[in-house]
Amino acid sequence: MVITKKSYQSVSLWLWTALCVVLSGAVNLFPVLLVSGSQLMLGNVIASAANLLFGLRVALFAAVSSVVVASWYWEHFWIVIPFLLEQLALHRAIKHNKNVVVSTVFYWIFVGVPIVAIEYFYFTDFLLQTKIAIVFKYFLNGFINITLGFLIALIISGVIKKRRYRRFKFSQFITLTVFFSISISVLPNGFYWLKATENTKLEKVTNELSARANEIAVRVEGYVSNTQNQVRLLAAQHNQQDDKTVMEARLASLGALNPGILTMLIADKNGHLVASYPADFSSRISSDSLPFTVIDRAYFSEVKRTGQPFISNVFEGKGFGRDPIVALSAPFSHKQQFLGIYEASLNLNYFSSLDTLDPEKSQSLIIMDERDHVIYASPNTQYQYQDDLSEQPIIAHLMAPQNYHFTNMHGEYYIAESVFIDALGWRVVSLLKRNVFEQEIVNLVVLSVMLILLFILVLVLFSSAIADVLSRPLTELSSKLHQVSQSGEFEKLNFVMTANPVREIQQLAPALQIFSKKLDDTLSDFHREAKNAEDARHKLQCLNNDLSDIVDQRTKELQMALQKAESASIAKSEFLANMSHEIRTPLNGVIGSLQMIERQSADEQCRELANHALFSSRSLLTIINDILDYSKIEAKMMDIESVDFDIIFLLQSVTSDMTVLANEKQIELILEHKELHGSHFTGDPHRIRQVLLNLISNAIKFTETGSVSIKASSTQSDKECNLIFDVRDTGVGMSDRQIDTLFERFTQADSSTTRKYGGTGLGMAITRELVVLMGGDISVQSQQGVGTCFSVQLPVLATKQELSIQQPNEVVTAPSLKGKTILVAEDNAINQVVVCSMLEMTGAKVDVVENGRQAVDYFAANAPDLILMDIQMPEMDGAEACMVIRQSNTDLPIIALTANVQPEDVQRFKQIGFDDHIGKPLDMSVLFNTLSQYILGTVT
């Protein structure tokens, strides 16, 4: 049997359908507790995810399973309607390519909520506040269904190869990021606050109930115990010489003092009646033929058996009303011989007066005996005297509570607290109807949910509108770049963009347009001059044997052609330097903004995205620097410095910079410098650092597992010596053919390398040229699958002079500059925002001007502690403004803040009068270190 692709997809779809049906029903078997016993049913989360991944049919099957379980659980069938319609609304949003989350929220506002309101307001008898809370609970339930469903679909789509929701527009991505960030932070906080409020109020209610139960228990025990003590006292005063008249007088005296006593009697050791109270009590209960005896009564037999006072079970009175009564008895004796008992029947109707202890009349009271029979119950509880509660829910709740409330035999919800009276074996229960407690909670739920949902809705709509405005130019730019990259006709780039509030986006298009045009012209010049040079060489070879004047003439033509080629190369270098400045200016806004987002964002996902964007931006900056360096090398404009430096510090700094990159790939980075003879040398530390960074980053790039080691050594004779660096990795290695082309410009060892690892192909070419310019030598040994080792030998001069080493720039904490004033002279509005945002972290007062003329005027009227000065500004540039200020003040720190970062530019700025230079794109750590150095006199 052959299984076709279509039949396989059909079977797979039915399997997914069955799984979604089972899961959606199973999830609703475990509702999520909200507050006050209300619950959220999240089965439609599975249905929503199925709708996004597999379509409406699977979603409806899952939704039916979900609502059937929910309606059975809630005992309310009509919830089927809004939750099924929810899936239809979601399907419509998918079909018309709308924002599914926002569309579903609108569905609940205009369709789902009205349906639920009609169902509960017209077909139930709940309290008004409860109905409102239920309506908002449904809205919240639907909101969570689509939100979690969308997230699940987004995660699972990558696993099951569904591409329906794997790609987003930039505007949708911003909207969803804001939406989920706000929802994840606001909703749990709201739920936590509501739950904490409910717990606080519940604790207060239970404490009040416990206090009332304790107070009543004390009164009950005192009422019975006091009477028992009085009976015991009478028995202790008994005298055998007392006649009946004396004994009845004694009983009458006690009866007058204690109106709760219904009857009293004195019986002899055989249980025969000796005296009674009231006086006619004996005539009521005895006759001549059958004299009254209490020998069979528990209050006699137990006292006679134990010789101790006794309290009987509660029973219903006979002959003196039908009130609950308890018999209290005590023995009297002579010389430890039992002679009889005193007994009093105490009326327990007194307990009805205890209900008056509740000033608000909202609490109820139940008193039970040791058999859990009702002695007294408040009228509103619907319990009757002598009701057996031993098998009722109230006893189960008091013995082992499963919740803070219980349901009585009449279906009413109560909160209860009890106190056990040990002396009597009775239990006092104080009760409160649950709706009295939950009334205030419901009001809080309604108000808080309204505020939360309104807040989220407004922010989502606002972020959606802003995201659309910001992303439209990027979408157009991406489309045009894709078209050009497919055709390869870069000279046809034409960026015409509408106005946009983000200046970098607005400036990027014309900058790229100019770059593409200049690049095309430069390439044409290169091809033309290369062809001319080749033609000149050919003609020179052909005319080698001609007359000397012809040779001279052709030689001059060749020289002119070569001069033109060199002029084109210099023009190219100047063009690239200018383009570097133009690209660095918008990049400063991008990288600066990303640094602020990464530093200040509380959301981990947002910080991670900002970190990725920073990495990509700095990679672009590295490519620009590589191109500039190579152009300077080609134009023979690269200068090699000769300054004192500490090689160990330089190695540690390079290793520190590469540690993060190595850690990301879980590669061990090893530094060894034991074979160095001394640490202080004279040479070009900047270019040595650049060579080492290129070699180490290249080694890390092509190493997946293992390690990268840097070994430094030196050979020395007198004051001349050589530094030797070996950079060894355990990476992919290279063949001999690949090694031969390794140091060629715009070439990588393998054509697949660019696709897998990226890069311009200039790194190794620049490294070799720098080594040659410093008078050194570089070699490579490699074996495929084993690894590669680069060896560099550089001549330097040894020195014993101790150096003052400044620590490398690291991410530092902003210095405290409260009370200081910093002037920022910057004409670019975006860069103003970036610099001011960074400076705000220091606490300093920051003032901004837009050109050098305003900076000079500000200096004349104020006394700033430091000036950050851009160079290229209208009316008066930063260099001229610095010279004007220096004529009046030579001590004020003035820092150049510019995209001109070439060494010759930095040297020129310091000659003009600038104290230091900070290049663009701006690094926050460099800025903070510079401020600390020139304002506080320290380096962080």
Side-chain angles (χ1 to χ4, degrees):
M1 179 179 179
V2 179
I3 299 178
T4 64
K5 182 177 181 180
K6 184 175 181 180
S7 62
Y8 172 78
Q9 291 176 342
S10 178
V11 172
S12 176
L13 182 61
W14 279 108
L15 290 175
W16 277 111
T17 302
L19 179 61
C20 291
V21 168
V22 172
L23 284 178
S24 59
V27 168
N28 275 355
L29 292 175
F30 305 95
V32 177
L33 184 64
L34 192 57
V35 290
S36 298
S38 60
Q39 299 165 331
L40 297 178
M41 293 289 187
L42 302 182
N44 254 31
V45 170
I46 306 300
S48 299
N51 206 337
L52 292 164
L53 292 171
F54 307 110
L56 180 62
R57 184 174 62 179
V58 178
L60 288 178
F61 278 116
V64 168
S65 173
S66 169
V67 296
V68 166
V69 174
S71 61
W72 166 78
Y73 204 99
W74 282 343
E75 299 180 355
H76 186 64
F77 176 75
W78 294 107
I79 64 170
V80 172
I81 297 175
F83 283 121
L84 288 181
L85 291 178
E86 176 188 57
Q87 296 305 312
L88 295 176
L90 177 58
H91 175 70
R92 184 178 183 278
I94 298 171
K95 185 177 180 181
H96 291 85
N97 197 28
K98 301 292 184 181
N99 188 312
V100 293
V101 177
V102 175
S103 299
T104 310
V105 169
F106 278 120
Y107 156 77
W108 275 104
I109 292 175
F110 297 109
V111 180
V113 166
I115 291 175
V116 174
I118 292 172
E119 292 177 2
Y120 279 91
F121 275 82
Y122 290 98
F123 298 104
T124 64
D125 56 355
F126 296 144
L127 295 175
L128 176 62
Q129 290 83 353
T130 303
K131 293 177 181 179
I132 296 174
I134 289 174
V135 170
F136 277 102
K137 185 194 73 172
Y138 272 88
F139 180 83
L140 182 62
N141 206 145
F143 177 79
I144 294 175
N145 284 343
I146 183 57
T147 302
L148 295 182
F150 185 89
L151 286 176
I152 292 174
L154 190 62
I155 295 170
I156 295 181
S157 62
V159 178
I160 63 174
K161 309 302 182 185
K162 285 283 182 179
R163 300 183 180 272
R164 197 169 187 176
Y165 273 87
R166 291 188 67 185
R167 297 192 180 107
F168 302 96
K169 294 181 180 178
F170 185 62
S171 61
Q172 293 175 333
F173 180 79
I174 294 176
T175 303
L176 292 173
T177 301
V178 172
F179 177 81
F180 289 125
S181 298
I182 294 172
S183 300
I184 291 171
S185 60
V186 171
L187 286 177
N189 183 66
F191 291 160
Y192 173 80
W193 178 81
L194 286 174
K195 196 65 180 175
T197 302
E198 181 189 33
N199 291 337
T200 301
K201 293 187 177 296
L202 179 60
E203 183 180 1
K204 179 181 178 182
V205 169
T206 55
N207 289 340
E208 291 176 353
L209 291 174
S210 296
R212 182 167 183 252
N214 270 306
E215 182 181 1
I216 292 175
V218 170
R219 290 174 179 255
V220 168
E221 183 178 6
Y223 178 68
V224 177
S225 298
N226 288 339
T227 306
Q228 173 76 321
N229 291 335
Q230 291 171 350
V231 173
R232 186 187 303 171
L233 182 60
L234 282 179
Q237 295 174 351
H238 181 79
N239 193 325
Q240 287 183 307
Q241 305 302 322
D242 294 340
D243 57 17
K244 181 177 181 181
T245 301
V246 174
M247 287 187 286
E248 287 183 345
R250 189 177 294 154
L251 294 178
S253 176
L254 178 58
L257 292 174
N258 194 337
I261 296 178
L262 290 177
T263 64
M264 286 183 287
L265 60 83
I266 301 174
D268 61 17
K269 63 181 179 181
N270 297 316
H272 296 138
L273 188 63
V274 175
S276 65
Y277 169 84
D280 61 344
F281 177 64
S282 59
S283 62
R284 295 185 189 182
I285 61 176
S286 63
S287 63
D288 295 335
S289 58
L290 294 173
F292 179 77
T293 180
V294 295
I295 194 170
D296 59 341
R297 304 296 173 88
Y299 58 76
F300 177 85
S301 59
E302 285 298 312
V303 172
K304 183 177 181 179
R305 183 179 65 83
T306 63
Q308 298 297 324
F310 175 76
I311 301 175
S312 72
N313 292 332
V314 179
F315 58 92
E316 187 177 2
K318 297 179 181 179
F320 288 86
R322 304 188 64 84
D323 294 329
I325 295 173
V326 63
L328 310 172
S329 59
F332 62 88
S333 59
H334 181 68
K335 295 183 179 181
Q336 297 184 352
Q337 289 185 357
F338 175 77
L339 298 180
I341 68 165
Y342 277 69
E343 183 271 339
S345 298
L346 184 63
N347 187 355
L348 301 185
N349 194 38
Y350 159 79
F351 296 159
S352 61
S353 64
L354 299 178
D355 263 353
T356 61
L357 296 178
D358 177 23
E360 298 179 358
K361 304 299 182 183
S362 59
Q363 298 181 13
S364 302
L365 175 65
I366 298 177
I367 303 176
M368 296 178 284
D369 62 14
E370 69 274 14
R371 299 171 300 165
D372 294 327
H373 287 194
V374 175
I375 299 175
Y376 173 80
S378 298
N380 59 359
T381 63
Q382 302 185 36
Y383 291 114
Q384 302 297 324
Y385 170 68
Q386 286 298 326
D387 279 352
D388 185 2
L389 304 185
S390 59
E391 300 298 325
Q392 294 297 321
I394 184 173
I395 297 299
H397 174 74
L398 294 175
M399 299 304 294
Q402 301 297 319
N403 206 334
Y404 71 90
H405 59 81
F406 73 98
T407 308
N408 68 6
M409 59 185 178
H410 304 293
E412 298 175 325
Y413 291 92
Y414 280 90
I415 303 172
E417 293 293 328
S418 68
V419 174
F420 191 79
I421 305 175
D422 294 328
L424 303 177
W426 297 355
R427 186 187 302 272
V428 177
V429 184
S430 183
L431 304 98
L432 179 70
K433 285 190 175 182
R434 191 181 75 168
N435 60 359
V436 176
F437 157 71
E438 292 185 346
Q439 188 66 51
E440 188 174 354
I441 301 299
V442 168
N443 294 336
L444 288 174
V445 169
V446 172
L447 179 60
S448 60
V449 172
M450 286 178 62
L451 292 176
I452 289 173
L453 295 180
L454 178 63
F455 178 74
I456 292 177
L457 179 61
V458 170
L459 279 180
V460 168
L461 293 176
F462 179 75
S463 64
S464 179
I466 295 299
D468 185 68
V469 172
L470 294 178
S471 65
R472 192 180 300 118
L474 290 178
T475 302
E476 297 173 359
L477 180 62
S478 175
S479 177
K480 292 176 181 178
L481 285 175
H482 179 72
Q483 294 174 2
V484 171
S485 65
Q486 292 293 326
S487 64
E489 299 175 340
F490 293 96
E491 67 279 0
K492 293 184 178 181
L493 280 174
N494 184 22
F495 299 103
V496 180
M497 300 172 61
T498 56
N500 190 273
V502 181
R503 179 173 291 187
E504 281 76 3
I505 295 177
Q506 192 66 26
Q507 292 178 342
L508 192 58
L512 289 175
Q513 182 70 51
I514 296 172
F515 182 84
S516 63
K517 181 66 172 63
K518 294 292 186 180
L519 180 62
D520 181 68
D521 294 342
T522 302
L523 291 174
S524 298
D525 290 341
F526 270 128
H527 292 316
R528 183 170 56 256
E529 295 304 327
K531 186 176 184 305
N532 290 339
E534 186 64 27
D535 291 340
R537 291 190 186 93
H538 179 70
K539 290 178 181 180
L540 182 62
Q541 187 176 10
C542 294
L543 297 176
N544 189 38
N545 296 322
D546 288 349
L547 297 174
S548 59
D549 56 342
I550 298 177
V551 173
D552 293 339
Q553 181 181 357
R554 294 295 183 253
T555 301
K556 292 179 180 179
E557 293 176 354
L558 177 60
Q559 290 175 346
M560 292 179 62
L562 292 175
Q563 289 176 357
K564 290 181 179 180
E566 291 177 356
S567 299
S569 177
I570 294 173
K572 177 205 68 173
S573 299
E574 292 176 350
F575 158 71
L576 290 175
N578 291 333
M579 288 311 302
S580 169
H581 181 276
E582 295 301 319
I583 293 175
R584 282 173 180 271
T585 298
L587 269 180
N588 182 61
V590 173
I591 294 179
S593 300
L594 289 172
Q595 288 181 85
M596 296 302 298
I597 293 173
E598 182 189 34
R599 189 180 186 98
Q600 297 181 359
S601 175
D603 183 33
E604 184 63 27
Q605 182 181 8
C606 184
R607 289 200 303 271
E608 184 178 357
L609 291 173
N611 188 37
H612 291 333
L614 271 173
F615 180 83
S616 300
S617 301
R618 287 167 175 161
S619 297
L620 174 60
L621 191 60
T622 300
I623 293 173
I624 295 171
N625 291 334
D626 284 348
I627 294 174
L628 287 173
D629 284 343
Y630 199 82
S631 67
K632 292 181 70 175
I633 292 173
E634 281 191 320
K636 296 181 174 53
M637 296 174 62
M638 178 69 75
D639 296 325
I640 301 300
E641 295 182 340
S642 181
V643 297
D644 294 340
F645 66 98
D646 187 333
I647 186 60
I648 295 179
F649 169 77
L650 187 147
L651 288 169
Q652 291 174 343
S653 173
V654 170
T655 307
S656 175
D657 288 347
M658 291 290 101
T659 298
V660 175
L661 183 61
N663 289 341
E664 288 181 351
K665 299 188 68 174
Q666 297 182 350
I667 297 172
E668 184 180 9
L669 194 60
I670 304 170
L671 172 62
E672 182 180 351
H673 51 74
K674 295 181 179 179
E675 297 183 14
L676 283 171
H677 300 288
S679 60
H680 301 143
F681 301 92
T682 300
D684 192 335
H686 175 71
R687 299 306 174 187
I688 295 175
R689 176 186 176 86
Q690 187 174 356
V691 168
L692 291 175
L693 285 174
N694 282 349
L695 293 178
I696 297 172
S697 63
N698 193 70
I700 294 174
K701 180 195 298 185
F702 294 99
T703 301
E704 298 298 330
T705 59
S707 63
V708 172
S709 63
I710 307 98
K711 180 180 179 181
S713 59
S714 63
T715 60
Q716 186 171 353
S717 60
D718 296 329
K719 289 189 177 181
E720 295 183 357
C721 65
N722 290 319
L723 288 176
I724 302 172
F725 305 101
D726 294 325
V727 179
R728 186 182 304 273
D729 65 62
T730 58
V732 296
M734 295 178 289
S735 64
D736 293 339
R737 181 180 178 184
Q738 291 170 334
I739 293 175
D740 292 338
T741 61
L742 178 64
F743 295 106
E744 294 180 8
R745 61 178 181 174
F746 304 110
T747 303
Q748 292 194 338
D750 188 354
S751 61
S752 64
T753 300
T754 303
R755 295 190 298 272
K756 182 175 181 181
Y757 297 101
T760 61
L762 288 175
M764 289 297 100
I766 292 174
T767 300
R768 184 188 63 177
E769 294 294 336
L770 290 176
V771 170
V772 171
L773 284 174
M774 289 187 286
D777 181 58
I778 183 170
S779 61
V780 57
Q781 295 179 352
S782 182
Q783 183 177 350
Q784 286 185 318
V786 177
T788 303
C789 178
F790 285 89
S791 296
V792 177
Q793 181 175 334
L794 297 173
V796 293
L797 295 176
T799 178
K800 295 183 179 180
Q801 180 181 359
E802 294 294 329
L803 304 178
S804 176
I805 303 299
Q806 182 176 351
Q807 296 298 322
N809 291 322
E810 300 175 349
V811 177
V812 295
T813 303
S816 176
L817 302 180
K818 188 174 182 181
K820 303 295 183 179
T821 301
I822 299 176
L823 175 64
V824 178
E826 170 65 66
D827 65 316
N828 186 289
I830 298 300
N831 289 340
Q832 290 176 359
V833 173
V834 171
V835 175
C836 289
S837 297
M838 293 180 178
L839 292 177
E840 284 178 0
M841 300 169 64
T842 67
K845 177 185 176 184
V846 181
D847 291 326
V848 180
V849 296
E850 296 182 353
N851 55 60
R853 175 64 59 193
Q854 294 179 0
V856 172
D857 293 341
Y858 181 95
F859 166 78
N862 302 277
D865 297 286
L866 182 140
I867 299 178
L868 295 175
M869 183 84 72
D870 189 18
I871 298 301
Q872 296 186 8
M873 292 186 293
E875 295 189 22
M876 178 185 288
D877 62 21
E880 184 179 356
C882 178
M883 289 187 290
V884 173
I885 293 173
R886 282 291 181 239
Q887 293 175 2
S888 302
N889 189 318
T890 59
D891 297 326
L892 174 66
I894 306 177
I895 309 300
L897 190 67
T898 176
N900 298 324
V901 296
Q902 297 303 310
E904 56 270 21
D905 293 329
V906 176
Q907 184 177 3
R908 179 171 60 88
F909 296 150
K910 292 185 177 180
Q911 291 174 349
I912 289 173
F914 286 94
D915 295 278
D916 210 331
H917 168 275
I918 300 177
K920 297 179 182 176
L922 181 61
D923 186 276
M924 193 183 302
S925 299
V926 175
L927 175 62
F928 290 163
N929 274 321
T930 304
L931 294 176
S932 299
Q933 179 180 356
Y934 288 97
I935 296 181
L936 302 179
T938 61
V939 179
T940 55

